[in-house]
Amino acid sequence: MKRLLPMLFASLASAVALAQAEPIVLNADCPPGFELSTGQCELRSLYQLYPSLQDAGVGGLKTGLPGWRDGFTPQQTDLGRYLFFDPVLSRDGTVSCATCHAPDRGFSDGLGRSVGINGSVLPRSAPSLWNVAFLNSFFWDGRADSLEEQMVGPLFDKHEMGSDPQLLLDTLNGIPAYRQLFAQAFPADFKSGDAEIRLDQVYAAITAFQVTLVSLNSRYDQYAHGYADALTEPEIEGLNIFRSFVARCAECHTPPLFTNQQVAVLGTPEPEGMPFDPGAQIPMNEPSQRGGFKVPSLRNIELTAPYMHSGRFATLREAVSFYTGGRGHAVPEGEELKIHWHIWEPNLTEDELDRLVDFLKTLTDESFKPEQPRRLPSGLQPMHQVIAYIGENDNGEEDHE
Amino acid sequence: MNKIVAVVGALALLGGGYYLGNANQPEPTVIKVPTAPKAEFTSSGADEVSAASGKVSVRAWETPTSGEVIIVKDGESIQDAVKAAQPGAVIKVMPGTYKETVYVDKDNITLSGVIERGAYPVMDGEGVRNDAVLYSGNGFTVENLYITKYKGNAIMGQAGNNYIIRNNIIVDTGVYGIFPQLGKNGIVAHNVISGIEDAAIYVGMSDNVDVVYNQVFDSVAGIEIENSRSALVEGNFVYNNTGGILAFITPGLPIKTCSDVIIRNNFVVDNNHENFAIPGSLVSNIPQGTGMLIMACDDVVVEQNIITGNESMGMLFTDFSLAGNAATDPDADPRPNRPKILNNIMRDNGKNPAPMVRAVLATQMLTRGPDVIDTVGMDDGCILNPERYRTFGLEKYGDCEFENTKTVLTYTLPEPVPPRVNETNMDKGKLAYYGVCAGCHAYGSRMIGPPTQIIQALYMDNPEGIAAYAAAPVRKRDDYPEMPPQGHLDDETRLAAAKFMLGLTR
């Protein structure tokens, strides 16, 4: 890590020079997937044609979506994009939201356990942000009920971004470019010249950006909307195994979001040497939820290896194999877990496991992936790229782009 | 084994707590002669059905057909026929043996066996295939099939409204026989099902379902209504299962209520089969010899059933204490609120209670299982003529305000649930444009493809041209990448999107 620092400072200096160029104007258009309607961006999707029992957003192929967040302005959304990529939000300017939620890594980070400020290794992996607009609880243990509540966690956790509310406000208010952008995004709040940036505006803007990360155009979706040729024979075989009552994947990873948004106790193993994670037992204060974690969406799952809450499984094949290993086969000695009833012994064959992986890969769609800002209002470099770049060089890979 | 002990402990604790609070004094029988007729039965489910109904029609609907008929003969594949079928097709399956999984992801398909002199078309899973029939389309009918030896289910639906599952013979198909899930408005009728290691008929997270005139036996659970609303279970012959008829909430599911279930005119007889459920499953907790089990489900009416010879008890009302092997769900109400027990015939129940039931009875110095037991001791329940039965925990039940549910002939809707239409922003062209096209085309700025404004100038009054080009694009401009084909959108959707695109002003 130490040898990184001189390089970082060098790049910072050049970035500061760049930032003195012309002022940033926030995008007045909604991102793809959204219609501008009376000044607000509203989600549009073919899935809105379909009903859903009790409006729960769980069902089969042609089932409507669960409730979602939208209704932010284009400017708020674009401001959120700048904030999302800007490491100035962290205590020392080294970590941005995108550090652990990198667009090119399925809005995760490719790590089993994410790395925060000062190289802190965190206890869990970074969940993908694709389709967070549809979720009603956040974090692996479901302890936050909204994106606004969720982001307070990483922003101010001393091991993640390490900031605190006052420092964050002082930092942003100290950057004229940001004051000017917040005034564009929240014009009603900035009528007087000495108006200050507020935390709720920061949270609203980042939320506005996050809810535009919609992925509903995979080949699976084409199949669901009625195009039978969108999937190959092996992939359809995989779909049928996925929804069969033998594998039972679809009972919890329910279409169309491929999650039923519940907490489930699976008994997956931690990485070697890591103590057992009690999961939802802590926030729910409920012993029967020991080892419980939120059922994650499987959309874009191909992009977010390794898998499970602490990244024990390196590949999708390993992850699906867990489910045919038998109830509680990986539970540590001495742990009494209320393992979910759908975890049983389906005796899936090797071929069936392969087909499941084939099917899971049809859930990949990044067609609405947002563009990353070329320059940031803080003048800093978008750190997630720098770190990924250097990491790849360490692995002996060359990036020619 | 540990789990069973834990459940017994939980039940015993409840029983103990109950005993402390109530003396167990038999009351003298009061002879009552009604002076005025009782009120008519009402329920929120019945209101919806009658609001939609201008006429008397009990399950009189069929799923839509177009006149297209496809015949499948022995040696051919049913799935090939499904692939070739257009919505509205009737697929007639001749007697023979079909070793496949059939999946139906289209609307309005009828899969109908042809029975010749008693010979059915047989779907044989040979112990290796997962499910016989999977469907997700609306308006699906499956009938007259003999299904056996699958690992998962015989017939499983995932969403799909307006379905009819009838006249099927299902023998030993693993976890469930018939399992419609996440759909509204369905009929499960005249099926004969046996040898299932969970429920022979399992209605999961559904609305408006009639389960009528089925014969279910030799299974762990006969009929299960789970996390569902407005279900009628009527006229079924339910015998020699571990538990006969169940209505309950499973904790941890995304739809968290169960209510308005009428269980009437069923034969619930000798449900004393050994529990052979999969370890860890909820039904592995059912005491052997349970006629009916109501767990956490609200407004359940039990009426004019013949409930005899169930060796643990006739019927059990309880909360999640019976599901001690599952994590609790703070968002689901565990109490079986407002139970309503009308007149039923209950005889010969409780002669040989399962050990866990015996443990509860022991707290009351009893050895024989009751006709009716409420382990929660609900205070909002009602029962007609309670003196007729041996009951446990019903001291707070009052008299029912109604005598029958004859106002509810069915919980299915008189007309099929219509597709979702005429709501705001339901224009298919608009949804396709923003939901799909906008990934590459913005109105005035360059994205991956050219701006919509430029396309408008090129195509003016020619949406057909856009729709045709999008289905099979060729490279036109050096300054943009070639467009990927959009033939996955059908002709109608592509044309609608093109029209919307041409009309866009911003």
Side-chain angles (χ1 to χ4, degrees):
Chain A
M1 197 62 198
K2 260 183 195 158
R3 65 199 179 83
L4 274 179
L5 287 176
M7 295 176 63
L8 291 183
F9 283 121
S11 58
L12 284 187
S14 64
V16 169
L18 235 162
Q20 275 141 17
E22 56 192 287
I24 295 169
V25 177
L26 294 176
N27 195 337
D29 293 327
C30 294
F34 291 80
E35 179 184 17
L36 186 63
S37 174
T38 59
Q40 299 176 337
C41 299
E42 293 183 1
L43 178 75
R44 302 283 179 254
S45 161
L46 286 170
Y47 279 104
Q48 290 163 344
L49 291 168
Y50 309 135
S52 148
L53 192 84
Q54 300 278 318
D55 289 324
V58 286
L61 300 182
K62 287 191 171 74
T63 294
L65 299 161
W68 63 86
R69 296 282 303 273
D70 64 2
F72 297 94
T73 68
Q75 289 83 2
Q76 288 163 353
T77 306
D78 203 29
L79 171 60
R81 186 174 67 106
Y82 285 105
L83 291 167
F84 184 86
F85 286 99
D86 201 332
V88 82
L89 269 56
S90 63
R91 173 164 293 276
D92 62 357
T94 62
V95 183
S96 72
C97 306
T99 302
C100 296
H101 302 284
D104 293 339
R105 294 169 187 270
F107 282 95
S108 183
D109 55 9
L111 300 171
R113 298 166 61 188
S114 293
V115 176
I117 199 165
N118 295 327
S120 306
V121 178
L122 303 169
R124 294 176 189 156
S125 74
S128 170
L129 300 184
W130 282 112
N131 294 325
V132 286
F134 304 99
L135 302 186
N136 55 30
S137 72
F138 302 88
F139 293 117
W140 275 105
D141 56 14
R143 67 184 183 273
D145 295 331
S146 69
L147 285 163
E148 290 89 337
E149 188 188 338
Q150 182 277 331
M151 69 181 75
V152 170
L155 278 170
F156 304 138
D157 185 290
K158 63 181 176 184
H159 300 297
E160 297 192 41
M161 297 172 80
S163 191
D164 62 64
Q166 197 54 54
L167 174 64
L168 180 60
L169 287 180
D170 290 348
T171 305
L172 292 176
N173 279 307
I175 300 171
Y178 265 121
R179 294 177 82 111
Q180 193 260 333
L181 291 177
F182 274 79
Q184 287 180 45
F186 300 97
D189 297 338
F190 283 82
K191 283 189 179 133
S192 94
D194 56 357
E196 298 257 302
I197 296 168
R198 300 193 313 259
L199 284 174
D200 62 295
Q201 294 160 345
V202 176
Y203 303 154
I206 295 176
T207 300
F209 170 68
Q210 289 180 310
V211 301
T212 67
L213 305 175
V214 173
S215 172
L216 295 171
N217 283 325
S218 64
R219 285 193 295 118
Y220 161 80
D221 294 297
Q222 296 178 358
Y223 181 86
H225 293 314
Y227 182 54
D229 293 338
L231 302 183
T232 63
E233 280 296 328
E235 289 164 349
I236 290 175
E237 221 178 290
L239 165 62
N240 287 337
I241 297 162
F242 185 87
R243 59 181 161 173
S244 79
F245 214 78
V246 175
R248 305 190 188 181
C249 314
E251 293 302 306
C252 292
H253 297 284
T254 318
L257 261 291
F258 288 84
T259 171
N260 66 0
Q261 307 210 41
Q262 303 297 304
V263 168
V265 181
L266 302 191
T268 63
E270 309 292 355
E272 215 65 61
M274 184 178 156
F276 183 79
D277 187 334
Q281 177 187 6
I282 306 299
M284 292 173 79
N285 192 24
E286 171 56 58
S288 70
Q289 294 288 1
R290 183 167 177 79
F293 294 95
K294 252 178 45 183
V295 175
S297 169
L298 299 182
R299 286 183 173 276
N300 282 327
I301 194 71
E302 180 185 10
L303 308 175
T304 59
Y307 300 104
M308 304 298 175
H309 61 273
S310 48
R312 171 61 188 258
F313 300 128
T315 63
L316 278 177
R317 186 59 162 70
E318 284 174 53
V320 296
S321 301
F322 165 80
Y323 293 91
T324 201
R327 272 175 78 81
H329 71 273
V331 175
E333 194 102 1
E335 286 286 350
E336 284 278 335
L337 301 184
K338 305 265 190 191
I339 301 271
H340 197 280
W341 62 93
H342 284 317
I343 301 294
W344 69 311
E345 295 189 34
N347 297 318
L348 300 174
T349 65
E350 296 298 309
D351 269 357
E352 286 181 310
L353 295 172
D354 288 341
R355 296 294 82 75
L356 279 174
V357 173
D358 291 343
F359 171 68
L360 290 172
K361 290 180 175 174
T362 70
L363 297 172
T364 304
D365 160 47
E366 301 180 277
S367 57
F368 290 177
K369 186 160 82 173
E371 227 177 292
Q372 306 174 30
R374 292 210 187 84
R375 59 193 172 103
L376 294 172
S378 65
L380 298 178
Q381 280 280 59
M383 290 307 297
H384 66 286
Q385 290 169 319
V386 176
I387 287 174
Y389 194 80
I390 290 169
E392 268 150 19
N393 281 347
D394 280 353
N395 293 337
E397 290 174 24
E398 295 263 330
D399 190 335
H400 294 291
E401 280 184 32
Chain B
M1 198 61 206
N2 277 344
K3 277 162 192 150
I4 291 173
V5 172
V7 172
V8 171
L11 279 178
L13 275 175
L14 275 168
Y18 185 79
Y19 178 64
L20 290 175
N22 293 273
N24 200 11
Q25 299 277 341
E27 302 211 354
T29 299
V30 179
I31 309 293
K32 283 178 288 191
V33 179
T35 51
K38 291 204 173 206
E40 285 203 336
F41 171 73
T42 57
S43 76
S44 54
D47 291 348
E48 185 191 11
V49 172
S50 60
S53 155
K55 57 194 179 205
V56 177
S57 68
V58 181
R59 297 181 289 275
W61 50 276
E62 299 281 334
T63 59
T65 54
S66 62
E68 180 186 0
V69 176
I70 301 177
I71 297 187
V72 183
K73 298 194 196 77
D74 195 12
E76 297 176 345
S77 149
I78 303 171
Q79 186 61 39
D80 285 349
V82 174
K83 282 183 186 166
Q86 297 299 311
V90 175
I91 297 168
K92 283 286 185 186
V93 185
M94 301 305 288
T97 303
Y98 300 87
K99 298 178 177 178
E100 58 183 317
T101 290
V102 174
Y103 57 96
V104 180
D105 291 330
K106 304 174 180 183
D107 286 347
N108 301 338
I109 297 292
T110 297
L111 190 56
S112 174
V114 175
I115 306 164
E116 292 177 320
R117 286 170 296 282
Y120 279 69
V122 176
M123 294 190 68
D124 187 353
E126 300 181 291
V128 295
R129 285 177 201 89
N130 290 337
D131 306 289
V133 178
L134 294 167
Y135 70 88
S136 74
N138 297 313
F140 178 62
T141 291
V142 53
E143 62 187 9
N144 306 343
L145 298 176
Y146 183 105
I147 303 175
T148 191
K149 296 275 184 271
Y150 283 80
K151 282 171 74 184
N153 302 335
I155 298 166
M156 176 179 182
Q158 213 184 7
N161 297 331
N162 311 317
Y163 55 87
I164 299 174
I165 301 169
R166 65 186 169 201
N167 308 0
N168 299 288
I169 315 280
I170 295 168
V171 180
D172 182 12
T173 56
V175 189
Y176 298 116
I178 291 173
F179 176 28
Q181 184 181 218
L182 293 162
K184 185 177 174 80
N185 202 38
I187 298 171
V188 180
H190 297 104
N191 301 284
V192 180
I193 310 172
S194 60
I196 309 292
E197 64 193 20
D198 198 307
I201 296 174
Y202 170 20
V203 174
M205 291 191 280
S206 299
D207 286 347
N208 300 92
V209 183
D210 284 2
V211 179
V212 292
Y213 316 127
N214 300 281
Q215 180 183 3
V216 293
F217 57 101
D218 295 355
S219 301
V220 173
I223 297 170
E224 264 180 48
I225 305 295
E226 180 213 48
N227 298 45
S228 297
R229 292 136 303 280
S230 302
L232 172 65
V233 181
E234 177 157 31
N236 299 285
F237 184 24
V238 182
Y239 63 96
N240 199 32
N241 307 288
T242 305
I245 297 177
L246 287 54
F248 60 82
I249 292 179
T250 289
L253 292 180
I255 294 176
K256 301 190 179 292
T257 59
C258 176
S259 64
D260 297 324
V261 178
I262 296 177
I263 303 171
R264 80 183 167 204
N265 299 333
N266 299 285
F267 298 88
V268 183
V269 178
D270 296 340
N271 289 288
N272 302 318
H273 201 293
E274 185 191 354
N275 191 326
F276 59 105
I278 307 147
S281 67
L282 282 183
V283 292
S284 67
N285 299 308
I286 300 176
Q288 182 176 344
T290 302
M292 282 188 202
L293 166 61
I294 317 299
M295 180 172 84
C297 192
D298 297 343
D299 295 295
V300 176
V301 182
V302 185
E303 175 187 5
Q304 294 294 19
N305 300 282
I306 292 180
I307 306 166
T308 61
N310 304 289
E311 289 186 345
S312 276
M313 60 221 149
M315 64 180 91
L316 163 63
F317 289 83
T318 188
D319 56 16
F320 291 155
S321 53
L322 192 79
N325 58 347
T328 57
D329 186 340
D331 299 324
D333 177 0
R335 295 158 63 87
N337 296 298
R338 298 171 299 280
K340 303 169 201 335
I341 305 168
L342 307 183
N343 289 321
N344 290 275
I345 309 296
M346 291 190 253
R347 286 184 59 76
D348 279 337
N349 297 306
K351 280 180 297 193
N352 181 21
M356 61 190 291
V357 178
R358 205 170 285 159
V360 179
L361 296 172
T363 65
Q364 303 282 297
M365 316 296 262
L366 296 172
T367 52
R368 182 166 177 190
D371 291 316
V372 187
I373 176 168
D374 178 342
T375 66
V376 186
M378 297 300 293
D379 60 6
D380 54 6
C382 77
I383 181 168
L384 295 179
N385 301 307
E387 71 284 353
R388 292 179 181 173
Y389 319 110
R390 292 173 299 106
T391 64
F392 180 115
L394 270 59
E395 282 76 4
K396 294 178 192 159
Y397 280 48
D399 190 30
C400 295
E401 289 167 358
F402 56 96
E403 281 185 320
N404 57 63
T405 56
K406 68 182 180 190
T407 51
V408 178
L409 299 174
T410 174
Y411 268 135
T412 62
L413 301 169
E415 303 289 339
V417 184
R420 192 170 179 174
V421 282
N422 297 331
E423 294 176 38
T424 45
N425 293 309
M426 292 285 288
D427 173 52
K428 207 178 213 183
K430 177 194 264 194
L431 295 180
Y433 174 79
Y434 285 112
V436 180
C437 312
C440 295
H441 302 283
Y443 180 71
S445 57
R446 181 192 169 115
M447 285 179 69
I448 296 162
T452 294
Q453 262 181 321
I454 291 185
I455 296 167
Q456 288 176 342
L458 287 170
Y459 283 88
M460 297 282 272
D461 299 319
N462 184 15
E464 293 81 5
I466 297 179
Y469 176 80
V474 288
R475 181 140 195 183
K476 281 197 172 174
R477 307 170 62 118
D478 288 339
D479 49 342
Y480 286 98
E482 186 174 318
M483 177 173 174
Q486 304 298 312
H488 58 90
L489 298 172
D490 59 32
D491 296 349
E492 178 204 337
T493 308
R494 276 199 322 280
L495 184 61
K499 284 180 177 162
F500 182 83
M501 194 173 200
L502 290 178
L504 202 62
T505 53
R506 200 211 133 100

